[in-house]
Amino acid sequence: MFRALVVEKNDDGKSHAAVQELDEARLPEGEVTVAVEYSTVNYKDGLCIGPGGGLVRSYPHVPGIDFAGTVAASEDARYAPGDKVVLTGWRVGEVHWGGYAQKARVKADWLVPLPEGLTTRQAMAVGTAGFTAMLAVMALEDHGMKPGGGPVLVTGAAGGVGSVATAILAHLGHEVAAVTGRPETAEYLTALGAARIVPRDEINETVKRPLEAETWAGCVDAVGGAMLARVLGQMKYGASVAAVGLAGGAGLPATVIPFLLRGVNLLGIDSVMQPYDNRLRAWRRVAADLPMDKLEAMIRPATLADLPGLGADILKGHVRGRVVVDVNA
C-alpha cells in the first residue's frame, strides 16, 4: 500500500481531491517503478487537482507532472534498483498517473538520471518550471545572447519559471529586469539577482506603435498576450524572446514589423516532449548554472495534504517561487 493524492469526479461533474491509501496493483503499466521522494506544484498541476482543465482523461486520477526518487524495480536495462531519477513532462500527471504519490510506474524513456550534484529535493525545487527556464536560457544563448549585450527581461518573474530564470541569468552575468505585478515580491526578486524591478503596468499596455526604443537584449516571457506583443517592439536588433507561458492570455495582438525591421526572433519553448539528449543537456546546465543558495530561497515546503489548497492558489497566481512536496511527510 502507498499514499497518493487522488482526484475523483462526482456525478455532477465536480472534482474532489484527497489523500488515499492505494494498492500497488493499481499503478499503471510501465517498465520502471519509482519510490517517489519529492514532487512540486506547477500551473498544470493546479488544473489537474481542480477541474482538470481538459488535461485529465479519466478518473480517478493521481496528478503531479514532476517527480524525483529512487528506482524500486525496473524491467529496462538502463535503470536498476537504487538509481536516482527525475521525471518531467510526457503528459505524466495529466493522462498518466503522476508524482503526487509515494510510488509511480512509468515508461523508462520518460526518465532522466538525476544529474550529478543535485539531490532529489533540489531537482523538484527546479521541476518543470526550472527545467523550462533553463531551456529558455539555452535557446536565447543559441540565438546569440551573451552577457554584456544589454538588459534581459523576465516577465512573470516571481513565478516558478521566472524565479529560476532570474537566478540563472544573473549568475551567468546578465543584467536582469524582472517584471512583476506584485510589489511585495521586489525584495525577493532582488535577492535572486534582479538588477531592476519593472512594474507590470509599465509594460502590459498595448500600444499602437509597432516599434519602440530598442531596450532588451533578450527576454524570457511567461505571460504572452498584450505584454508579449509590447515586448516584441522593444527588443534590440536581432534579439530573441523565449515564450514559455500564457498567464496573460493566448492571443498575440502584435504586428510582423519587429520581425521584418529588427530581425527579432520569437522562440517557442516546449518542455513536455523535449528529446532526451536536450533534457540531459538542460539538467546538466541547471546543476552547473543555478546557484543552490538562490534555489533554496525559492523553496516553500509542502505535503500531500497541502496540495488541494496549493492547486487552487497557483491558479489564482498566489504561489511565489517553488513548492517542494515531500510525499512521505
Side-chain angles (χ1 to χ4, degrees):
M1 303 293 290
F2 64 97
R3 294 168 62 242
L5 183 78
V6 180
V7 182
E8 298 179 304
K9 272 200 172 179
N10 303 326
D11 293 339
D12 60 3
K14 293 184 179 179
S15 60
H16 172 72
V19 178
Q20 299 182 18
E21 292 275 346
L22 300 178
D23 191 288
E24 189 172 326
R26 294 187 64 183
L27 287 171
E29 293 183 0
E31 297 92 14
V32 183
T33 302
V34 179
V36 180
E37 296 168 17
Y38 295 97
S39 187
T40 183
V41 180
N42 302 281
Y43 191 86
K44 279 186 178 180
D45 294 315
L47 293 173
C48 294
I49 292 170
L55 301 176
V56 180
R57 297 286 178 82
S58 62
Y59 294 88
H61 179 68
V62 176
I65 68 171
D66 300 337
F67 66 76
T70 304
V71 173
S74 176
E75 299 172 5
D76 189 285
R78 289 171 290 178
Y79 297 101
D83 289 350
K84 297 290 186 178
V85 291
V86 180
L87 183 142
T88 62
W90 301 111
R91 302 212 67 191
V92 170
E94 302 172 41
V95 175
H96 194 89
W97 277 19
Y100 289 164
Q102 292 174 310
K103 291 186 179 181
R105 185 174 292 139
V106 295
K107 292 184 178 181
D109 288 343
W110 296 345
L111 295 168
V112 173
L114 181 73
E116 190 172 340
L118 285 183
T119 65
T120 52
R121 178 176 178 271
Q122 289 169 332
M124 284 301 96
V126 176
T128 282
F131 175 64
T132 303
M134 191 72 250
L135 290 173
V137 171
M138 287 163 44
L140 293 173
E141 291 175 341
D142 290 345
H143 283 78
M145 186 185 73
K146 294 181 175 62
V152 178
L153 192 71
V154 177
T155 70
V161 177
S163 293
V164 178
T166 297
I168 290 173
L169 289 165
H171 178 73
L172 292 172
H174 295 279
E175 177 190 345
V176 180
V179 181
T180 181
R182 294 179 278 172
E184 68 275 12
T185 64
E187 184 176 348
Y188 163 77
L189 292 168
T190 301
L192 291 181
R196 173 184 167 191
I197 305 299
V198 180
R200 181 170 58 198
D201 291 344
E202 285 188 13
I203 205 165
N204 201 34
E205 181 183 354
T206 303
V207 296
K208 293 182 180 179
R209 299 187 306 278
L211 293 176
E212 298 183 71
E214 295 184 43
T215 306
W216 316 114
C219 174
V220 177
D221 175 60
V223 176
M227 185 178 294
L228 174 56
R230 180 84 182 272
V231 168
L232 287 170
Q234 297 178 347
M235 301 305 295
K236 290 178 177 287
Y237 188 91
S240 301
V241 178
V244 303
L246 41 65
L252 186 59
T255 76
V256 298
I257 299 300
F259 308 115
L260 302 181
L261 298 187
R262 286 193 184 155
V264 171
N265 305 295
L266 181 57
L267 312 175
I269 306 299
D270 168 63
S271 65
V272 177
M273 309 304 288
Q274 194 68 211
Y276 180 79
D277 287 347
N278 213 39
R279 285 178 182 271
L280 285 182
R281 178 187 170 212
W283 276 108
R284 287 167 181 160
R285 285 289 307 273
V286 165
D289 295 328
L290 175 57
M292 289 301 116
D293 60 330
K294 299 292 176 65
L295 181 66
E296 190 65 33
M298 303 177 202
I299 293 175
R300 171 181 174 181
T303 66
L304 288 176
D306 297 324
L307 287 169
L310 287 168
D313 286 345
I314 200 166
L315 294 181
K316 297 174 185 174
H318 294 168
V319 174
R320 187 187 79 177
R322 303 294 297 133
V323 176
V324 175
V325 182
D326 183 346
V327 301
N328 298 299

